[in-house]
Amino acid sequence: MKKSLTFSALAAGTKAAGDGRYPEKQAMAALHSAIDCGITTIDTSALYGQGRAERMTGKVMATRRQEVCLVSEVVSGAANRWLSRRFCQASLKRLQTDHIDFYILHRRYPGLLASAVRSLERLRQEGLIGGWDVADFDVRDIKQLLALPGGENCRINKVMYHCAARGPEYRLLDQCRQAGIHLMAYSPFGGAGDPLLSAPVLEIIARDHRCQPAEIALAWILRQPGMTAIIEADSPVHPGRLARAKTLGLTAADLAAINGVFPPPVIRQPLSRQQ
C-alpha cells in the first residue's frame, strides 16, 4: 500500500554498507536505529556493492516498509525503454517491496536525457516508482530537464553539498526550490574520511554548543529550507545525536565564522561530485 510521503531532514545512506565496510548485521542494526530516531528516509542504490546495499536494505524493509521513504538509483545507461523496467524490477526484488518511492537517475547520460525522462515517467505511471529524480544536475542541466515533456515531475536533485563545497548555492538552490525540486545533500562531512569533522572552525563552534562537529556540519546544511542531508548508516556518531542537528540553531556569529573559512560562491563553480 502506498503512503503519503514526507522527507526526513536526515536520510540514512547505505553506500558504506554496500561497499562491505562492516558486517551486514551491523548495517541492518544501524538502519533500524536510524528509523527509531526519526531518520525515515533511506538512500540506497543498485550501484552500491553491485546490489549488496539494496539486499541489506530489503531485509530491513521486510518489517519497516510503511515507516520509510525509500530512495534508490538507476544507472544512467539503463534509463531507456529497453532496460529501465528490468533494472527497476531487479531493485524491487532486492528491496523486498512492490514500489520505490523515489528513483534517481544516477547522473546525466549525454544526449539521452529525453529518453531517460520518458522511461522514468513510464515507470511512475505503472506504479513501480512513486516519483523520479536526478543526481548532480547543475543549473543548465535543470533548465534543460524542465524544458522536456514530463521534466516538471522531477522531485529530487541529489548533490554534494557541505560547507567546503558550496557550489549549489550559486543559483542552483533557488532554481530547484522554484521548481519544487527537493535537495538531497550527500557527503555532508566532506567525503572519504570525513575531513570536515577535524576542521578547527567546526570544532570551536561544537565546543560552544556542547555538541560534536558532525552536528554542526549537519545543522549548517539544514539551515537551508527544503534540504535533506544523507548520513551513512555507519556514522561514528550515533544517529540519535545526529538527529538533534535538526533543532540546533547556529548563531550569526557561527555562520560568519564558517563563511570566513569556507566563503560562499560569488561566481559559478562546478559542482563537486562523488568519485
Side-chain angles (χ1 to χ4, degrees):
M1 181 183 297
K2 298 183 183 180
K3 54 196 181 300
S4 176
L5 296 172
T6 56
F7 296 103
S8 51
L10 298 178
T14 61
K15 187 176 188 303
D19 291 343
R21 273 200 248 163
Y22 52 98
E24 184 180 85
K25 286 185 179 180
Q26 183 180 340
M28 291 174 60
L31 279 185
H32 280 296
S33 179
I35 297 169
D36 291 340
C37 293
I39 302 173
T40 54
T41 300
I42 294 181
D43 176 72
T44 190
S45 173
L47 300 173
Y48 302 161
Q50 297 181 326
R52 185 185 297 117
E54 285 188 333
R55 284 190 291 273
M56 180 273 297
T57 301
K59 292 177 181 179
V60 176
M61 293 302 96
T63 58
R64 311 208 58 174
R65 181 67 181 96
Q66 293 304 311
E67 302 172 68
V68 166
C69 178
L70 183 59
V71 181
S72 193
E73 281 187 329
V74 57
V75 62
S76 301
N80 58 60
R81 62 177 179 169
W82 298 284
L83 296 176
S84 58
R85 185 180 291 103
R86 183 190 308 171
F87 273 72
C88 183
Q89 289 175 333
S91 286
L92 291 172
K93 183 177 180 179
R94 288 189 291 266
L95 290 165
Q96 300 189 39
T97 185
D98 63 352
H99 72 284
I100 296 167
D101 294 315
F102 293 100
Y103 205 33
I104 293 180
L105 177 66
H106 181 75
R107 300 184 186 168
R108 181 170 178 173
Y109 199 70
L112 297 177
L113 183 58
S115 174
V117 170
R118 287 194 298 270
S119 298
L120 293 166
E121 276 290 278
R122 190 176 299 112
L123 294 177
R124 182 181 68 83
Q125 292 161 5
E126 292 174 0
L128 297 180
I129 62 176
W132 58 268
D133 324 283
V134 295
D136 295 323
F137 270 41
D138 208 340
V139 171
R140 182 179 300 176
D141 300 321
I142 293 292
K143 183 177 180 180
Q144 293 177 353
L145 174 66
L146 295 175
L148 293 172
E152 71 280 1
N153 292 322
C154 177
R155 289 292 171 261
I156 299 171
N157 187 15
K158 179 178 170 182
V159 297
M160 183 182 287
Y161 180 57
H162 50 74
C163 58
R166 301 181 66 167
E169 291 180 15
Y170 190 78
R171 298 184 180 175
L172 181 62
L173 297 187
D174 287 340
Q175 180 191 39
C176 287
R177 289 187 193 116
Q178 290 170 9
I181 297 174
H182 191 83
L183 271 295
M184 293 187 76
Y186 66 82
S187 298
F189 305 140
D194 298 336
L196 275 181
L197 301 189
S198 59
V201 64
L202 297 189
E203 292 180 335
I204 292 170
I205 296 172
R207 284 199 297 269
D208 291 343
H209 286 270
R210 297 182 179 180
C211 65
Q212 299 193 33
E215 295 171 74
I216 300 300
L218 291 174
W220 183 88
I221 292 171
L222 297 178
R223 83 197 193 287
Q224 297 280 4
M227 180 75 72
T228 291
I230 302 171
I231 58 170
E232 282 299 316
D234 71 333
S235 171
V237 184
H238 189 277
R241 291 186 64 89
L242 294 180
R244 297 188 310 182
K246 296 180 291 185
T247 57
L248 198 163
L250 298 180
T251 67
D254 295 334
L255 296 175
I258 292 172
N259 287 344
V261 178
F262 304 112
V266 295
I267 60 172
R268 180 185 177 277
Q269 298 177 355
L271 294 183
S272 300
R273 300 177 190 268
Q274 193 173 55
Q275 299 301 315

